[in-house]
């Protein structure tokens, strides 16, 4: 998209050599890497080039069973009885090792996921390390956390998606370990590599075998894990559809569950908002991580009186975004994570046009190979349109307008989801008024996509239940 500005950035490629990718990876069970019992593997692909990065073991039921047994033995014999202060030392070690190997993690994440190195380097990896640091601090203070004499739950079965592979692993593992649980984690099929590097970090930190087990595979592996009778707690992040499947399979089992599911957040801009700041917040809200974000501000609600002015500025800003090589430090928009996801974004965008919305993208040269989608804006979107209702999970923004604050609230809440929302206004009283009426787990005011390990995150309605982060997130891993 640099064609639209009179000057251009010179390429600033990140050195790829910092990462050594092995030709193949085993499952990390009981402290060791080993092939799947039946020897099956699958390829993980760089979405920016479609090149195969490595072959990864595909865990079947026998492997899931072995991992859960290893976690159970470690829970009963080592991790459960270990004093919190001891557990904290291991978790601090993991936090420090992630920070030490940050660049390696960032490059690997961008290669396997397609996200810009600027994001993996500045957001995903530092936040992952911060989650371990934060939760290490809780490990010896659980008796003072307000949960009474709480005990760990036992073995946690954790299934994570592909949009923030390392960060989601940290969100799942850090609180579970701090609370004294052991874990079996299944990364997404398209992004297993940073979780496997994290397994290496667990070895480096001399974490006792079986405390963290990482089993790679596809949906069937995840299904086998969450249904395993040896799992005491299921933590899932992913689509609402799969979340519902898991809920059905877990019904009556008495298992503890947390579900972080989809979203269709409204980012509400009032006429008194500082528009330049709002434009940055809108861009961050929907184009960060190619829009592969459950809390993405995918519906822009803008007050009619400033809509034209805001949209002009937004279009200008989008024309300056740089799409391309995820390993270039100048890149704003990287590759779409998979062919399947690209097809879904294309299908929903086509539906938007068919349903009468006006589609706009800046002039943009897409690379010849890999999975790419330009930043896209839909105006004239009606509330009933699929692009206003369904989670697109891509760099696509649907714009709606409103006249009064009441109308803004009604439109923002007109969704089956309830994960997040944003509000842009100069008036503090209006922020509070709106936040009280938004049916969303998180409401950001004059900012968007802000995360901190101390701050609980989660939704309700079709966005799931339970919180991750903060004291509340810790409670999900305690039998309080
Ligand atoms: P899924 O919900 O299918 O994947 C999330 C995780 O669950 C992955 O590790 C997946 O494994 C695993 N999984 C799949 N099926 C099952 C099952 N039956 N039981 C247990 N675990 C399972 O998301 P997709 O990757 O298929 O993406 C589909 C859509 O979901 C996206 O287009 C997007 O709209 C939405 N999505 C939303 C996310 C969010 O955080 N809100 C995150 C990811 C996706 P595997 O990857 O190996 O199939």
């Amino acid at each position: 998209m640099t064609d639209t500005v009179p000057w251009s950035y010179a390429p600033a490629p990140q050195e790829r050599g910092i990462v050594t990718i092995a030709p193949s990876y085993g499952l990390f069970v009981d402290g060791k890497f080993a092939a799947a019992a039946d020897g099956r593997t699958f390829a993980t692909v760089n979405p920016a080039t479609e090149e195969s990065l490595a072959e990864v073991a595909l865990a079947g039921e026998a492997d899931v069973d072995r991992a859960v047994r290893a976690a159970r033995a470690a829970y009963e014999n080592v991790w459960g009885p270990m004093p919190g202060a001891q557990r904290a030392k291991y978790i601090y070690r993991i936090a420090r090792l992630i920070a030490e190997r940050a660049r390696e993690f960032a490059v690997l994440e961008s290669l396997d996921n397609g996200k810009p190195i600027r994001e993996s380097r500045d957001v995903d990896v530092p936040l992952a390390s911060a989650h371990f640091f934060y939760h290490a601090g809780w490990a010896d203070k659980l008796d003072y956390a307000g949960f009474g004499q709480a005990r760990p739950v036992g073995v946690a079965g954790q299934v994570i998606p592909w949009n923030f592979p390392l960060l989601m692993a940290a969100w799942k593992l850090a609180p579970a370990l701090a609370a004294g649980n052991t874990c079996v984690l299944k990364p997404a099929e398209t992004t297993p590599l940073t979780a496997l590097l994290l397994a290496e970090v667990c070895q480096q930190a001399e974490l006792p075998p079986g405390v963290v087990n990482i089993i790679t595979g596809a949906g069937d592996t995840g299904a086998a894990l969450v249904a395993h009778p040896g799992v005491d707690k299921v933590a899932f992040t992913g689509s609402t559809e799969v979340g519902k499947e898991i809920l059905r399979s877990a019904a009556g089992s008495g298992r503890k569950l947390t579900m972080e599911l989809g979203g269709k957040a409204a980012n509400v801009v009032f006429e008194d908002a500082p528009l330049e700041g709002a434009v940055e917040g809108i861009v961050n809200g929907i184009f960060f991580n190619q829009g592969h974000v459950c809390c993405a501000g995918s519906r822009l609600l803008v007050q009619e009186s400033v809509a034209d002015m805001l949209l002009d500025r937004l279009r200008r800003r989008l024309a300056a975004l740089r799409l391309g090589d995820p390993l270039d430090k100048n890149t704003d928009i990287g590759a779409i994570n998979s062919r399947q996801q690209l097809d879904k974004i294309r299908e929903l965008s086509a539906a938007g046009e068919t349903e009468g919305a006006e589609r706009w993208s800046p002039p943009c040269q897409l690379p010849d190979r890999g999975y790419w989608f330009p930043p896209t804006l839909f105006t004239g979107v009606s509330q009933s349109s699929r692009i206003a209702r369904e989670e697109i999970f891509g760099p696509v923004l649907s714009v709606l307008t409103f006249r009064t604050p009441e109308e803004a609230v009604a439109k923002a809440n007109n969704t089956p989801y309830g994960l997040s929302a944003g509000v842009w206004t100069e008036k503090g009283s209006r922020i509070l008024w709106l936040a009280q009426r938004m049916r969303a787990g998180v409401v950001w005011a004059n900012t968007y996509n802000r995360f901190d390990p101390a701050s609980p995150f989660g939704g309700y309605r079709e966005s799931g239940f339970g919180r991750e982060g903060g004291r509340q997130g810790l409670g999900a891993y305690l039998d309080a």
Side-chain angles (χ1 to χ4, degrees):
M1 270 164 283
T2 45
D3 296 352
T4 56
V5 289
W7 49 273
S8 179
Y9 283 80
Q14 162 66 46
E15 170 56 47
R16 182 185 160 153
I18 193 166
V19 171
T20 308
I21 301 180
S24 64
Y25 289 88
L27 309 168
F28 183 66
V29 176
D30 211 12
K32 293 182 283 292
F33 287 94
D38 58 10
R40 283 191 299 163
T41 63
F42 63 96
T44 184
V45 167
N46 178 346
T49 60
E50 296 176 58
E51 73 174 304
S52 173
L53 292 168
E55 282 292 315
V56 178
L58 196 157
E61 282 187 21
D63 304 298
V64 171
D65 187 56
R66 197 163 71 80
V68 174
R69 283 175 196 278
R72 172 67 54 197
Y75 173 67
E76 281 170 6
N77 304 323
V78 188
W79 200 249
M82 188 183 282
Q86 280 294 112
R87 285 203 307 272
K89 287 185 196 168
Y90 288 104
I91 305 171
Y92 274 126
R93 237 183 253 169
I94 294 171
R96 277 198 301 271
L97 286 166
I98 294 174
E100 273 172 36
R101 301 180 69 174
R103 197 52 70 95
E104 198 181 338
F105 270 109
V107 173
L108 191 60
E109 196 74 303
S110 285
L111 285 170
D112 204 19
N113 170 281
K115 65 174 70 199
I117 186 74
R118 208 160 42 81
E119 294 178 3
S120 48
R121 182 195 64 193
D122 297 349
V123 181
D124 297 54
V125 179
L127 265 180
S129 174
H131 266 268
F132 282 101
F133 271 120
Y134 172 80
H135 286 97
W138 270 121
D140 61 349
K141 300 173 195 70
L142 297 176
D143 289 348
Y144 315 102
F147 298 111
Q149 295 289 312
R151 291 177 41 77
V153 182
V155 174
Q158 305 173 315
V159 178
I160 55 172
W162 42 262
N163 51 345
F164 294 93
L166 177 69
L167 184 58
M168 287 303 107
W171 277 31
K172 295 283 178 280
L173 295 175
L177 297 180
N181 305 275
T182 56
C183 305
V184 181
L185 176 91
K186 194 205 85 75
E189 186 183 353
T190 56
T191 53
L193 294 185
T194 46
L196 292 168
L197 185 57
L198 186 58
E200 242 180 81
V201 160
C202 291
Q203 281 182 325
Q204 211 182 338
E206 295 176 4
L207 191 70
V211 173
V212 167
N213 304 274
I214 295 181
I215 51 167
T216 44
D220 288 348
T221 312
L225 174 60
V226 298
H228 194 289
V231 167
D232 303 301
K233 143 99 195 169
V234 172
F236 173 77
T237 298
S239 61
T240 298
E241 197 188 2
V242 172
K244 285 180 180 172
E245 251 179 66
I246 294 176
L247 283 179
R248 278 192 288 270
S249 81
S253 69
R255 236 172 252 165
K256 234 176 136 95
L257 296 162
T258 38
M259 297 273 145
E260 301 286 347
L261 308 176
K264 191 76 193 174
N267 207 356
V268 183
V269 181
F270 284 96
E271 60 190 0
D272 65 341
L275 291 190
E276 292 300 339
V279 165
E280 288 310 309
I282 294 162
V283 170
N284 177 26
I286 183 63
F287 300 112
F288 171 66
N289 202 31
Q290 294 72 247
H292 301 328
V293 185
C294 49
C295 52
S298 51
R299 286 182 301 148
L300 170 63
L301 295 185
V302 53
Q303 197 152 14
E304 210 173 81
S305 47
V306 292
D308 289 344
M309 198 168 25
L310 182 86
L311 288 173
D312 275 355
R313 290 180 191 207
L314 187 58
R315 287 195 185 95
R316 249 183 289 143
R317 180 69 184 91
L318 295 190
L321 291 178
R322 291 170 299 269
L323 177 148
D325 180 6
L327 286 191
D328 189 320
K329 293 170 202 162
N330 293 321
T331 293
D332 297 306
I333 302 206
I336 299 302
N337 180 248
S338 64
R339 160 77 56 197
Q340 192 193 12
Q341 188 59 26
L342 180 59
D343 290 345
K344 179 180 170 184
I345 299 168
R346 285 180 174 158
E347 194 245 315
L348 275 163
S349 299
E353 278 183 291
T354 311
E355 289 180 327
E358 192 179 322
R359 178 176 182 163
W360 181 87
S361 290
C364 180
Q365 181 83 39
L366 300 183
D368 297 334
R369 297 193 65 197
Y371 315 130
W372 305 94
F373 199 85
T376 299
L377 203 73
F378 276 100
T379 47
V381 178
S382 75
Q383 290 192 74
S384 57
S385 174
R386 283 182 71 195
I387 54 169
R389 307 198 66 75
E390 294 182 29
E391 186 178 47
I392 301 175
F393 226 61
V396 181
L397 179 65
S398 301
V399 183
L400 298 95
T401 56
F402 66 90
R403 289 182 185 164
T404 63
E406 288 75 15
E407 190 187 345
V409 170
K411 285 187 169 168
N413 287 337
N414 186 9
T415 164
Y417 295 109
L419 190 54
S420 57
V423 51
W424 297 82
T425 167
E426 245 178 18
K427 289 195 178 65
S429 57
R430 181 170 281 163
I431 290 171
L432 295 174
W433 182 89
L434 199 88
Q436 279 167 352
R437 286 160 181 80
M438 290 289 211
R439 287 188 282 166
V442 181
V443 180
W444 286 291
N446 294 327
T447 185
Y448 208 91
N449 274 340
R450 285 271 173 177
F451 294 97
D452 189 285
S455 169
F457 177 86
Y460 59 109
R461 305 168 81 205
E462 298 255 314
S463 294
F465 51 83
R467 295 292 176 264
E468 293 190 291
R471 199 188 72 86
Q472 292 81 351
L474 199 64
Y477 286 97
L478 288 167
D479 217 349

